[in-house]
């Protein structure tokens, strides 16, 4: 954890952003896989980690806006527990390490919340995403699970987003640590990507590297020769020549900060001419978009800039045609890049997606587009120093989408369907880096990971020695 002063300051700042009442920040509990004692690996709630830093099950925090008091709720382990688990700090000791003076048994949470409700005080809570916490909230507040999203405190959501969107130095260091572990995941995968190898063989080694960093994967690994499926989590294919591997994988540090990196590399270690042409366009989009990052620039504009590079590049190959600017404005490029250029990251790989993407990535000035492709952009707002975000352009040939658009005669003035058809066996290419917005512009986080085709080929050749 960070020093306790950090957590105290975060709670103070949160208080200063709320008008009154109490903020309820629930930690997570274990979720059984097949019986209660055989649980999925525990992952603490990111909001609880941000304000209390404690990475244990069955804790909750109350931040009282009016009295200035914080209370940690939890139960000490019994001797029976300790026989199985080993020595454990008491709840009071844990609270101390987070700078919290008062603790209460978990069962007292109901009393404290009920008292606040009975006095007409506002009980702020965040939208729950786990069944266990939905049930707990129903018990505490009498709000049915299906009504909890709508009744969560928008005031609290906005306050948390305002704080968590700006990363401090310690958080940036953590994300860089995650990126450096992730770099080894990617260079190792490049070295292993030979014909005849199964995707799961690489996936296992890559996940092992994340675990060796002391943490885990920040999200389920995407590693596939069918990168045209954007979030392809199955790893059953055998690698064969002529295919590109897309690996979108990131480690999470022991403190749960994420990296989110994508690289694309040719099975066997050499880009064919056709692969290289598409890859170079994606690389150019990544470079130009990254260079455009600076405070006050709307990320929506940077997304459009990257889309323009992709449309121009595809036009030069005869895949698109007509005016590239108009094509992008109308959304024709989305046949090839149906996703957004990037998103915020931090304690979550898609930071604070549980609180609502539009609160995180948009604001009163910049609203989400409704056009196919552009509407998938998670981040549109003006950039601020301290934001950490991804830049992740891609080009994909998705046969089902091409079929549909062609049947509908969609954007025939911008798309050369006859040429597109010759790419339907291509798959996809995506490149992704993690970027800090600085006062002057931007900084790519972590040590460089090969992205120029010749550097990727060199890395892959090193695996053959
Ligand atoms: N890393 C997967 C994504 O950004 O959606
Ligand atoms: Mn990403």
């Amino acid at each position: 954890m960070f020093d306790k002063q950090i957590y105290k300051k975060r709670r103070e700042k949160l208080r200063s952003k709320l008008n009154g009442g109490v903020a309820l920040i629930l930690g997570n509990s274990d979720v059984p896989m097949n019986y209660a004692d055989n649980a999925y690996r525990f992952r603490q709630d990111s909001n609880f980690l941000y304000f209390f830093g404690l990475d244990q099950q069955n804790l909750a925090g109350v931040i009282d806006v009016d009295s200035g008091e914080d209370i940690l709720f939890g139960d000490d382990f019994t001797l029976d527990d300790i026989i199985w688990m080993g020595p454990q700090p008491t709840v009071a000791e844990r609270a101390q390490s987070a700078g919290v003076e008062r603790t209460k048994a978990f069962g007292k949470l109901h009393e404290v919340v009920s008292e606040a409700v009975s006095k007409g005080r506002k009980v702020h809570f965040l939208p729950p995403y786990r069944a266990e916490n939905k049930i707990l909230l129903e018990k505490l507040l009498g709000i049915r699970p299906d009504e909890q999203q709508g009744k969560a405190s928008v005031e609290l959501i906005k306050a948390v987003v305002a704080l968590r969107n700006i990363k401090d130095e310690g958080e940036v260091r953590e994300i860089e640590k995650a990126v450096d572990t992730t770099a080894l995941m990617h260079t190792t995968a490049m070295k292993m990507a030979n014909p005849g190898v199964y995707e799961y063989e690489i996936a296992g080694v890559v996940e092992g590297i994340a675990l060796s960093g002391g943490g885990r994967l920040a999200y389920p690994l995407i590693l596939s020769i069918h990168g045209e499926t954007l979030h392809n989590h199955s790893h059953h294919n055998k690698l064969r020549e002529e295919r590109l591997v897309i690996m979108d994988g990131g480690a999470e540090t022991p403190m749960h900060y994420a990296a989110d990196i994508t690289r694309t590399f040719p099975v066997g270690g050499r880009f064919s001419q056709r692969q290289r042409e598409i890859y170079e366009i994606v690389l150019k989009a990544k470079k130009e978009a990254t260079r455009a990052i600076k405070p006050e620039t709307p990320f929506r504009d940077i997304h459009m800039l990257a889309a323009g590079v992709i449309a121009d590049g595809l036009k030069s190959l005869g895949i698109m045609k007509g005016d590239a600017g108009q094509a992008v404005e109308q959304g024709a490029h989305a046949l090839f890049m149906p996703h957004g250029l990037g998103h915020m990251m931090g304690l979550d790989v898609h930071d604070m997606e549980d609180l609502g993407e539009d609160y995180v990535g948009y604001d009163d000035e910049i609203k989400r587009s409704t056009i196919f492709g552009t509407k998938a952009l998670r981040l549109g707002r003006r950039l601020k120093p301290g934001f950490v975000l991804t830049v992740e352009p891609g080009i994909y040939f998705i046969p089902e989408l091409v079929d549909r658009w062609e049947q509908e005669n969609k954007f025939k003035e911008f798309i050369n369907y006859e040429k597109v058809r010759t790419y339907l066996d291509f798959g996809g290419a995506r490149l992704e880096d993690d970027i800090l917005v600085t006062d002057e512009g931007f900084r790519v986080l972590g040590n460089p990971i090969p992205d120029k085709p010749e550097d990727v080929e060199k890395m892959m050749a090193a695996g053959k020695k």
Side-chain angles (χ1 to χ4, degrees), residues 219 231 248 259-262 340-345 349-350 378 390-392 430 432-434:
Y219 53 96
H231 279 182
D248 181 339
D260 185 5
I261 300 283
T262 306
L341 182 67
H343 52 84
M344 296 284 206
M345 47 176 300
V349 63
H350 294 169
R378 296 188 159 97
T390 66
V391 167
E392 49 179 311
R430 174 163 73 249
E432 177 177 30
D433 287 333
D434 302 339

Side-chain angles (χ1 to χ4, degrees), residues 30-47:
D30 271 331
V31 177
M33 272 194 305
N34 46 351
Y35 52 90
D37 278 349
N38 207 21
Y40 290 103
R41 187 171 167 180
F42 176 65
R43 175 53 158 86
Q44 183 58 290
D45 174 75
S46 296
N47 297 301

Side-chain angles (χ1 to χ4, degrees), residues 279-299:
Y279 184 94
E280 293 274 16
I281 300 169
V282 178
L283 182 59
K284 187 168 185 227
K286 175 167 82 81
K287 264 195 216 154
E288 295 202 5
T290 304
R291 263 195 239 128
I293 289 176
K294 62 175 188 318
E296 293 313 316
T297 300
F299 195 69

Side-chain angles (χ1 to χ4, degrees), residues 77-275:
F77 289 104
T78 64
L79 183 59
D80 267 8
D81 297 322
I82 285 166
I83 289 167
W84 294 95
M85 300 168 68
Q88 299 291 321
T90 62
V91 173
E93 285 164 345
R94 293 191 200 279
Q96 280 294 325
S97 64
V100 177
E101 303 296 332
R102 274 191 83 190
T103 63
K104 282 180 185 272
F106 201 89
K108 295 278 179 197
L109 186 56
H110 189 263
E111 228 173 85
V112 170
V113 169
S114 302
E115 195 189 320
V117 171
S118 71
K119 287 183 178 159
R121 301 181 68 205
K122 169 96 181 157
V123 178
H124 301 272
F125 67 90
L126 296 170
Y129 53 91
R130 288 224 183 159
E132 290 75 9
N133 279 344
K134 291 181 187 181
I135 293 166
L136 176 61
L137 273 178
E138 185 172 22
K139 277 192 198 149
L140 293 173
L141 290 163
I143 302 171
R144 281 183 14 205
D146 57 351
E147 293 177 340
Q148 289 168 2
Q149 287 283 329
K151 292 196 171 163
S153 164
V154 173
E155 198 186 339
L156 179 59
I157 291 170
K158 286 186 172 174
V160 172
V161 167
L163 292 175
R164 284 185 55 190
N165 262 350
I166 308 290
K167 272 69 187 179
D168 67 21
E169 278 176 24
E171 294 185 284
V172 172
R173 265 198 302 278
E174 277 295 309
I175 297 169
E176 286 209 277
K177 237 189 264 171
V179 175
D180 286 342
T181 302
T182 303
L184 185 60
M185 289 160 53
H186 282 271
T187 52
T188 302
M190 287 175 190
K191 289 177 186 168
M192 289 182 71
N194 290 312
V197 173
Y198 280 91
E199 292 163 349
Y200 55 72
E201 294 179 66
I202 307 176
V205 173
V206 162
E207 183 159 357
I209 295 169
L211 295 170
S212 308
R216 63 168 82 183
L217 291 175
Y219 53 96
L221 185 68
I222 297 162
L223 187 157
S224 183
I225 56 171
H226 282 289
E228 74 277 12
T229 301
L230 302 182
H231 279 182
N232 199 336
H233 295 305
S234 73
H235 307 299
H236 63 275
N237 295 302
K238 195 196 262 189
L239 268 52
R240 55 179 202 278
E241 301 268 10
E242 298 302 315
R243 296 298 299 184
L244 287 169
V245 177
I246 285 188
M247 182 170 124
D248 181 339
E252 184 176 282
T253 62
M255 279 176 65
H256 301 291
Y257 283 85
D260 185 5
I261 300 283
T262 306
R263 288 293 181 266
T264 300
F265 35 94
V267 176
R270 287 254 164 240
F271 286 94
S272 68
Q273 161 109 10
R274 187 172 82 146
Q275 289 171 337

